[in-house]
Amino acid sequence: MTIAVIDYGMGNLHSVAKALEHVADENIVITSDPRAIRGATRVVLPGQGAIRDCMGELERAELRGLVDELLSNHSKPLLGICVGQQMLMERSEENGGIDCLGYLKGAVKRFDDKQLDEHAQRLKVPHMGWNHVSHIQGHALWDGIEDKARFYFVHSYYVSASERSQVFGATHYAGAEAHVAIGKGSIFAVQFHPEKSAAAGLKLLENFVRWQP
């Protein structure tokens, strides 16, 4: 039993792997080897930084086709994290417009940095720190996690999904409802960093390890 963390040169790979080791008995590998990824029982798609760079590095590492394959055939559970969530959408507003993987319908939008908080101070973008996540609907990965539990975020762009049935969690910031947990079939993806989100984050990773979609 192996969980593969896809290494395409982007993402908080070692922190994710360490968090998974904390909650899983399975072997955790960080790998760019297509055979190892195909042979794994579960897969994690991380991402960090600019989506243009993440998409470019996925192509450069010759892993774009493999990720498309995993998304299309639902052969095993896959967890996307941070930009690994954004990449699942059709298009991002970043850098004037970047095509994404197109697995789920919707866009990746930038927070409005002109929004004010309750003290009439301009809200900071990127959205950085802890925020509450509301459960839009039930999911196995929410088991044992309270509605409106807090998770850790670092992002300037957020997912706006077109199909509400694929939204499992949301948070509000800078006047926007960010769809921070989305999924379909054996795919689940989150904008926040579960590996940095203390007990709630570890519980979500534990649920992913046990998930039988």
Side-chain angles (χ1 to χ4, degrees), residues 51-52 90-100 108 157:
I51 197 167
R52 176 183 60 185
E90 294 172 298
R91 190 165 176 81
S92 172
E93 292 181 350
E94 189 177 331
N95 297 111
I98 301 293
D99 288 332
C100 303
V108 181
Y157 293 81

Side-chain angles (χ1 to χ4, degrees), residues 104 136-139 161-168 181-185:
L104 297 176
I136 301 301
Q137 55 181 316
H139 193 281
S162 298
E163 297 188 17
R164 193 72 173 179
S165 64
Q166 296 171 351
V167 178
F168 293 92
I182 58 175
K184 183 173 75 172

Side-chain angles (χ1 to χ4, degrees), residues 8 16 20 44-48 79-86 188-195 205:
Y8 60 100
V16 171
L20 285 166
V44 176
L45 176 66
Q48 189 167 288
L79 176 66
I81 296 176
C82 194
V83 180
Q85 184 213 27
Q86 296 179 12
F188 196 84
V190 295
Q191 176 66 62
F192 52 82
H193 287 271
E195 76 280 6
L205 292 176

Side-chain angles (χ1 to χ4, degrees), residues 194-205:
E195 76 280 6
K196 297 181 180 180
S197 296
L202 289 177
K203 183 60 178 175
L204 186 138
L205 292 176

Side-chain angles (χ1 to χ4, degrees), residues 2-16:
T2 299
I3 300 175
V5 180
I6 299 178
D7 180 6
Y8 60 100
M10 303 291 292
N12 199 18
L13 306 177
H14 293 283
S15 293
V16 171

Side-chain angles (χ1 to χ4, degrees), residues 1 24 43 50 53 65 79 135 177 193:
M1 305 286 282
V43 175
D53 295 338
L79 176 66
H135 296 177
E177 181 185 68
H193 287 271

Side-chain angles (χ1 to χ4, degrees), residues 51-95:
I51 197 167
R52 176 183 60 185
D53 295 338
C54 287
M55 291 298 301
E57 288 301 299
L58 195 66
E59 295 278 4
R60 183 198 60 77
E62 298 182 351
L63 291 171
R64 166 69 186 267
L66 174 57
V67 171
D68 284 336
E69 173 189 316
L70 294 172
L71 294 173
S72 64
N73 64 23
H74 288 259
S75 60
K76 63 195 70 183
L78 182 147
L79 176 66
I81 296 176
C82 194
V83 180
Q85 184 213 27
Q86 296 179 12
M87 291 166 69
L88 301 183
M89 310 312 293
E90 294 172 298
R91 190 165 176 81
S92 172
E93 292 181 350
E94 189 177 331
N95 297 111

